[in-house]
Structure formats: structure tokens, C-alpha cells
Amino acid sequence: MKATGIVRRIDELGRVVIPKEIRKNLRIHEGENVEIYIDANENIILKKFSVIKNLKDFSQNLIDVIYSFCKYDIIITDNDEIIAASSSIKRKCINQPISNTLNNLIQKREYITKEEYDNLELTENYQINGRYIIDSIIVHSDVVGLVILISENDTISELDEKIVHIVSNFFTKYLEE
């Protein structure tokens, strides 16, 4: 464990304020959930909670099936990292923290179809050039991740948009039940 040197008082309702600097560094936003753990030494550990990260293997299998059909790069993120990616870019970005660009898209809840070639920064160290579609995975009014389809060569069709929309809606319905 790494000490921060910050001490906070517990208020009369048992609340503790996580300092702004720590929230900013860990990308913890207002309204997000944290999970509470107690280790063997009875230390309290707070960890960002991701409902979609629990579906990592399922997400990867789904992406592999869709990739075999459409041959476009497909990515699923949670609010912090890329949790599933198609085979051609998997080694470069899987389990990597998402870029500030993707983080901003999560905050804005935008649906994007980019039909002209453009750079899309996926992680801090990896970007891809192509046409792309981005849709949010929304669970109980909160964005919990993104579905991204990237075409480096072909134009994006209406079917491609439907694929992304179906995947994001599937995760929404699955996670809300």
C-alpha cells in the first residue's frame, strides 16, 4: 500500500471524503460506486467498482464472434480500461487504461459515428486511424462503458451502426437485470 499523508475525519453519519486530487488521479467521478474490502490486517480498502469488468470473458467471446462476422476492430470498455478487444488490436490495448478522449466521451454520453478518417486515441499510448462508431453502455442511468467499432478501410454502413447499438443495448439489458 502507498501512503498519501492525507488524513480525514469520519463525520457523524460515518462518511469520509476522498480528496479531490486522489479522485482525479484515480478517475473517480461523482456518483460512481466504490467497493469496500477489508484485508487480513483489518485495513479498509476502497476500490472502484465496475459492473462490466465482471463480464470480461463473456465480453471477449462476444467480440470474437462479431469480429469473425464483420472483420472490424471492436472494443468494449468500462469506465477505466479496455476490457475486450478484437484480435488485431488486442495485444496493444487490452487491460490498458482508457484515454482521456474516451473518458470524456463517457462523461458526455455521446453516440458518435465518424464517417471520415480520424485518429481515435484508445489508450494513452495507442491510437488508431479510421472511421468509427461509439455507443455508451448505460445501466440505471449511469454510463458504465463504451462499445467501439473501428473500420480502417471500409465505409461504415447502417448495419455496422446496428451491430454497435445491439451490443450496447444487450449489455444494458443484461446488467440491469
Side-chain angles (χ1 to χ4, degrees), residues 4 6-8 16-24:
T4 64
I6 300 171
V7 176
R8 291 288 191 237
V16 176
V17 175
I18 301 171
K20 184 177 182 177
E21 302 80 29
I22 292 175
R23 292 192 320 263
K24 184 178 177 184

Side-chain angles (χ1 to χ4, degrees), residues 63-82:
I63 293 303
D64 291 341
V65 169
I66 294 171
Y67 180 78
S68 70
F69 169 72
C70 70
K71 301 297 184 212
Y72 293 143
D73 289 321
I74 303 170
I75 295 168
I76 296 178
T77 76
D78 66 6
N79 289 341
D80 297 315
E81 65 183 43
I82 295 173

